[in-house]
């Protein structure tokens, strides 16, 4: 690794980007690198990206909205088919990689991959539409390697009500977990699947806080005080995350960083560090990590892609973090919380 601080990152949409770009060369484009996109193996190596949560996210059909202005969820059949396709892509990449990428299922897998400099991929689903109320698919996907799950993306489904994208807005929009949602949380606890709160609304967040016996984790969200977007975390939510030994992965998306909520790629990387510093000051550096949202949103042009991560490490250092802090933020905190979440 070029970086003394290997970065394990809480959220990327690289599988979806590859799937949507089509073609039969998705595996080789990931392994050999390409111009497009924020993450491929070559950019990861150049920037010290050691691994991360690789999301399967199924877009809303035609980006259509319902009468409330909420995005419509895909059907279970469509979501399961597309989720299987993204999981298959990750499996194909691992098989073709000759050890350069490992799908990690245990803490030992994570540590071994980081030591061997094999990209440590953890399979995640963002919005559990692929799973029906009987939860059958959850148990089967777990056996295939699923280790983290967000019950919702920013739209309602049978489990909960995802927080709509609103600026300026509190995250307190809509109802909490459904009965099926409660079953899902209990099953995730039982299996040892980490529950991701990033797209939950506030009621759903508190319902999970009450029910779950695992650390509270928001894989890619920022501080609401600095950017009043509905996707961000209030101070009260941050405090609850701290109380359970959980963590916040700081999102690099400009929409979730800027106090004016403007989608402008000409945004200083230092603003990512500012959100990290705020969360660290509020709840402690043990609860701060990174959740890039690479390949899923507009990030600062100066960061550009995974190869630019050393510039972010510099910005974090300028914000006052020392080497010990940077080890925690860059990867140790993620490994710790995943291990504790997986201890079913
Ligand atoms: Zn997301």
């Amino acid at each position: 690794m070029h970086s003394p601080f290997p970065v394990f990152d809480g959220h990327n949409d690289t599988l979806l980007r590859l799937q949507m770009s089509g073609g039969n060369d998705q595996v080789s484009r990931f392994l050999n690198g390409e111009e497009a996109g924020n993450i491929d193996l070559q950019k990861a190596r150049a920037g010290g990206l050691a691994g991360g949560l690789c999301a399967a996210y199924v877009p809303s059909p035609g980006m259509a909205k319902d009468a409330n202005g909420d995005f419509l969820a895909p059907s279970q059949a469509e979501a399961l088919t597309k989720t299987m396709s993204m999981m298959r892509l990750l499996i194909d990449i691992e098989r073709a990689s000759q050890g350069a990428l490992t799908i990690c299922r245990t803490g030992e897998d994570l540590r071994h991959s980081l030591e061997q400099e094999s990209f440590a991929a953890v399979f995640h689903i963002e919005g559990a539409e692929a799973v029906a109320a009987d939860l059958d698919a959850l148990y089967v996907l777990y056996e295939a390697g699923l280790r983290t799950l967000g019950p919702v993306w920013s739209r309602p489904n049978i489990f909960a009500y995802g927080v709509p994208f609103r600026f300026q807005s509190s995250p307190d929009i809509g109802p909490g977990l459904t009965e099926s949602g409660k079953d899902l949380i209990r099953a995730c606890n039982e299996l040892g699947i980490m529950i991701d709160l990033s797209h939950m609304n506030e009621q759903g967040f508190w319902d999970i806080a009450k029910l779950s016996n695992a650390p509270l984790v928001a894989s890619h969200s920022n501080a609401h005080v600095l950017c009043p977007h509905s996707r961000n975390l209030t101070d009260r939510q941050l405090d609850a995350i701290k109380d359970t030994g959980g963590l916040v992965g700081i999102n690099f998306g400009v929409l979730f960083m800027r106090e004016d909520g403007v989608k402008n790629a000409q945004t200083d990387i230092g603003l990512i560090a500012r959100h990290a510093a705020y969360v660290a000051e509020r709840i402690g550096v043990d609860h701060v990590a990174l959740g890039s949202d690479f390949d899923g949103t507009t990030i600062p042009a100066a960061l550009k892609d995974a190869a630019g991560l050393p510039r972010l490490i510099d910005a974090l250092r300028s914000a006052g973090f020392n080497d010990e802090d940077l080890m925690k933020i860059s990867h140790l905190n993620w490994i710790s919380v995943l291990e504790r979440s997986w201890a079913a």
Side-chain angles (χ1 to χ4, degrees):
M1 288 288 168
H2 291 79
S3 167
F5 305 105
V7 171
F8 184 90
D9 174 62
H11 190 86
N12 72 67
D13 288 302
T14 304
L15 295 174
L16 178 66
R17 178 180 66 77
L18 288 166
Q19 185 187 61
M20 289 182 67
S21 67
N24 54 13
D25 58 350
Q26 294 170 37
V27 171
S28 64
R29 283 193 282 118
F30 179 84
L31 292 174
N32 300 326
E34 61 182 329
E35 187 58 32
N38 297 144
I39 295 181
D40 56 47
L41 189 62
Q42 301 311 317
K43 294 184 187 98
R45 284 180 168 163
L49 179 65
L53 273 56
C54 298
Y57 159 68
V58 180
S60 293
M63 293 307 272
K65 294 185 174 184
D66 67 15
N68 296 323
D70 291 321
F71 286 114
L72 292 171
S75 70
Q76 194 240 338
E78 183 193 353
L80 184 57
T81 301
K82 291 191 170 160
T83 299
M84 295 290 266
S85 162
M86 285 181 263
M87 201 162 196
R88 159 85 188 274
L89 174 58
L90 188 60
I91 290 166
D92 283 350
I93 290 171
E94 182 187 46
R95 288 166 69 107
S97 76
Q98 298 181 296
L101 178 143
T102 305
I103 301 174
C104 294
R105 294 168 172 82
T106 65
E108 200 182 311
D109 289 348
L110 285 174
R111 277 192 299 273
H112 187 72
S113 292
L114 262 65
E115 267 168 37
Q116 300 298 313
E117 299 184 8
S118 173
F119 189 94
V122 174
F123 191 70
H124 170 81
I125 62 182
E126 183 177 36
E129 286 84 7
V131 179
D134 57 29
L135 305 183
D136 288 350
L138 182 77
Y139 284 78
V140 176
L141 288 168
Y142 174 81
E143 289 300 323
L146 177 71
R147 287 296 178 275
T148 102
L149 164 158
V152 283
W153 183 70
S154 286
R155 63 193 171 201
N157 66 19
I158 62 167
F159 300 115
Y161 194 97
V163 71
F165 287 92
R166 286 190 198 158
F167 183 91
Q168 310 178 11
S169 169
S170 130
D172 190 12
I173 304 167
L177 288 177
T178 64
E179 286 309 311
S180 294
K182 291 175 188 167
D183 291 342
L184 177 70
I185 298 307
R186 283 187 280 259
C188 286
N189 280 174
E190 175 199 317
L191 287 165
I193 294 176
M194 191 199 84
I195 300 156
D196 180 13
L197 299 162
S198 266
H199 285 268
M200 299 299 299
N201 65 4
E202 195 167 350
Q203 188 57 54
F205 178 102
W206 295 118
D207 286 351
I208 291 173
K210 202 167 140 191
L211 186 62
S212 175
N213 58 25
L216 297 177
V217 175
S219 69
H220 57 304
S221 293
N222 290 340
H224 196 270
V225 162
L226 300 182
C227 168
H229 194 291
S230 57
R231 274 275 284 101
N232 287 337
L233 299 157
T234 65
D235 282 352
R236 239 184 107 217
Q237 289 178 302
L238 292 175
D239 295 345
I241 286 169
K242 176 197 172 134
D243 290 344
T244 61
L247 71 71
V248 179
I250 302 297
N251 194 314
F252 305 172
V254 297
L255 276 178
F256 312 119
M257 269 195 303
R258 294 170 62 102
E259 63 180 5
D260 61 7
V262 173
K263 187 174 178 174
N264 180 357
Q266 301 307 316
T267 296
D268 184 3
I269 302 179
L271 200 46
I272 303 172
R274 208 168 144 226
H275 279 268
Y278 179 82
V279 176
E281 195 168 312
R282 175 96 196 171
I283 64 173
V285 71
D286 290 347
H287 309 282
V288 184
L290 302 175
S292 67
D293 222 342
F294 274 147
D295 284 326
T297 192
T298 302
I299 63 165
L303 182 58
K304 192 169 182 278
D305 55 37
L309 283 168
R311 293 192 286 278
L312 175 60
I313 298 290
D314 288 345
L316 289 165
R317 202 189 286 286
S318 299
F321 293 110
N322 63 26
D323 281 4
E324 193 188 341
D325 299 332
L326 291 171
M327 291 289 277
K328 291 179 177 179
I329 295 170
S330 66
H331 63 287
L332 292 179
N333 287 344
W334 261 123
I335 294 169
S336 166
V337 87
L338 286 169
E339 279 201 292
R340 284 177 287 126
S341 304
W342 292 346

